[in-house]
Amino acid sequence: MLGFFAISGYLVTKSAQSSDALQFVWRRFLRIFPGFWAVLLVGAFIVGPIYWMLEGHALGAYFGFGPGSPWAYLYTNALLNIGQYQIWDIWSATTPYGLAGNGGPINGSIWTLVYEFTCYLLIAGLLFFLVLKRAKVLVPIIAACFLLLQVVNLLSGEGTGSSEAARIVPYLGSYWPTNFGLIFFLGATLAIYADRVPYSNWLGAGAGLVSLVTLRFGGFNTLGYFTTAYFVLFLAARLPKLFQRVGARNDYSYGVYLYGWIIEQVLAYAGVNRWGYVPYVFLSLVGAGACAVVSWHLVEKQALKLKDVGPGVGFAGIATAARSMANRRRREEGDLPASQPVEPRAQPAEPRETSA
């Protein structure tokens, strides 16, 4: 997960440098929300009813209203901040996770999306105020602020519950905003200064080694975050060309993330987890991959076709359209003369081919 946030910070910041704030937010919205809403609908109206009936309940009772209902599952989760994980008591007593006293989340992995999108909004703010072009140094400063808050949490003995840093920054009500914000902005810093960051096999190997050592002996949540961010991006650059083409045309990674938990629980309900770790993980990946293909082609890819529509034209495009509409209205009212046709310029002759 931390590696994902580091890569996301890098790629998203690179993307932001070639767009304005409005375009950026619109495209990030199209990348996250349609697929997310689709998986909520799948959980509420495909997976939920099936396992409700398999657990011995009448289908009509499933569609009741109130807390715990599929309707509440949709509207409490629609804006990424997950307020309801379960639908009724499905999977609470029929999967290993539920039997361990954890309830039966329909999709227990989507909770990180709110932190991811919050980081996008922070990048959008920096883009809007031209920080990414004229004051790039603020990006590593933000990363340093997250590091300071991380240290505050660690020194106060905070784990994943309420955050000591929240006394300094009220938004940081839990450990996770600080945790994910730090690794994301480390990735963003590497993106901003990509032309200055040294890149070598020795540094890559050293960063990987330090990450492992700090993970085992301590210091991972501070020093280890720096080395992990560098190491995962180093690996991405060092992968063979064949692997670097993965996702260039069809990006199934988000779909795997969205549907991985559901597939794992479906397989666990069927007892596949008792076959052993390797077959269980393999079949989970196959199932999640199949769902990801469907999600990409039917939902995500279709949504991304709108990236240059509406807000996708950016502030400049909207301003141009507004001026055009104003001029058209003025012409219709007689305040401006009708535009005269312009004689096209003569085109230069095509250059002749010459022999070498």
Side-chain angles (χ1 to χ4, degrees):
M1 182 60 67
L2 294 176
F4 169 81
F5 269 82
I7 293 171
S8 178
Y10 183 90
L11 295 178
V12 165
T13 303
K14 282 289 188 183
S15 173
Q17 291 177 298
S18 61
S19 59
D20 70 21
L22 183 61
Q23 290 173 312
F24 175 77
V25 172
W26 175 243
R27 292 168 185 178
R28 291 298 91 202
F29 170 84
L30 291 176
R31 189 66 189 100
I32 295 296
F33 277 90
F36 173 72
W37 287 336
V39 80
L40 289 183
L41 290 170
V42 168
F45 297 120
I46 296 178
V47 176
I50 290 173
Y51 286 90
W52 176 255
M53 289 189 294
L54 286 175
E55 293 181 2
H57 305 287
L59 179 60
Y62 177 80
F63 294 100
F65 294 92
S69 70
W71 313 105
Y73 178 78
L74 292 178
Y75 69 73
T76 58
N77 298 337
L79 297 181
L80 299 181
N81 193 21
I82 308 302
Q84 177 181 316
Y85 284 96
Q86 290 186 239
I87 298 178
W88 305 127
D89 61 351
I90 295 170
W91 288 341
S92 294
T94 52
T95 63
Y97 191 82
L99 290 169
N102 301 305
I106 295 297
N107 198 332
S109 62
I110 54 177
W111 63 276
T112 62
L113 286 175
V114 67
Y115 303 112
E116 176 78 7
F117 201 79
T118 300
C119 289
Y120 294 169
L121 294 179
L122 290 175
I123 293 294
L126 298 180
L127 185 59
F128 181 80
F129 289 105
L130 303 179
V131 169
L132 299 186
K133 292 183 178 180
R134 300 182 182 177
K136 296 190 294 185
V137 70
L138 284 179
V139 176
I141 289 176
I142 292 172
C145 290
F146 275 114
L147 175 62
L148 177 62
L149 294 172
Q150 180 89 315
V151 171
V152 169
N153 282 336
L154 294 172
L155 291 178
S156 63
E158 299 291 350
T160 58
S162 60
S163 170
E164 183 67 21
R167 299 182 183 180
I168 303 173
V169 182
Y171 165 74
L172 303 174
S174 73
Y175 172 80
W176 296 113
T178 304
N179 188 286
F180 291 140
L182 172 57
I183 194 73
F184 182 95
F185 272 90
L186 288 174
T189 299
L190 291 173
I192 287 291
Y193 293 103
D195 58 336
R196 300 184 188 180
V197 175
Y199 174 75
S200 72
N201 292 336
W202 285 106
L203 283 174
L209 179 62
V210 171
S211 298
L212 291 174
V213 170
T214 56
L215 187 62
R216 175 64 179 85
F217 297 103
F220 180 76
N221 287 334
T222 49
L223 175 61
Y225 275 34
F226 286 81
T227 56
T228 297
Y230 184 93
F231 182 62
V232 295
L233 291 168
F234 166 81
L235 284 182
R238 281 300 188 203
L239 284 174
K241 295 296 183 182
L242 176 64
F243 291 98
Q244 291 185 11
R245 289 197 295 268
V246 173
R249 293 184 60 186
N250 299 303
D251 186 0
Y252 304 131
S253 59
Y254 185 44
V256 170
Y257 164 80
L258 288 176
Y259 290 90
W261 179 281
I262 292 177
I263 296 300
E264 289 169 1
Q265 296 308 300
V266 165
L267 292 175
Y269 181 92
V272 175
N273 59 298
R274 293 194 291 269
W275 298 1
Y277 179 79
V278 173
Y280 177 62
V281 171
F282 174 76
L283 291 174
S284 296
L285 288 173
V286 170
C291 291
V293 170
V294 175
S295 175
W296 169 256
H297 288 286
L298 293 187
V299 181
E300 299 165 54
K301 186 176 181 179
Q302 306 309 315
L304 289 174
K305 291 179 180 179
L306 302 175
K307 67 179 183 178
D308 296 318
V309 175
V313 301
F315 291 120
I318 290 175
T320 299
R323 285 195 298 268
S324 177
M325 291 177 62
N327 289 338
R328 187 182 304 116
R329 187 178 299 110
R330 291 175 65 188
R331 277 194 294 269
E332 290 172 354
E333 295 173 353
D335 294 335
L336 284 180
S339 59
Q340 299 295 323
V342 179
E343 184 177 346
R345 295 181 179 179
Q347 296 297 319
E350 290 288 336
R352 295 181 179 178
E353 293 184 3
T354 58
S355 57

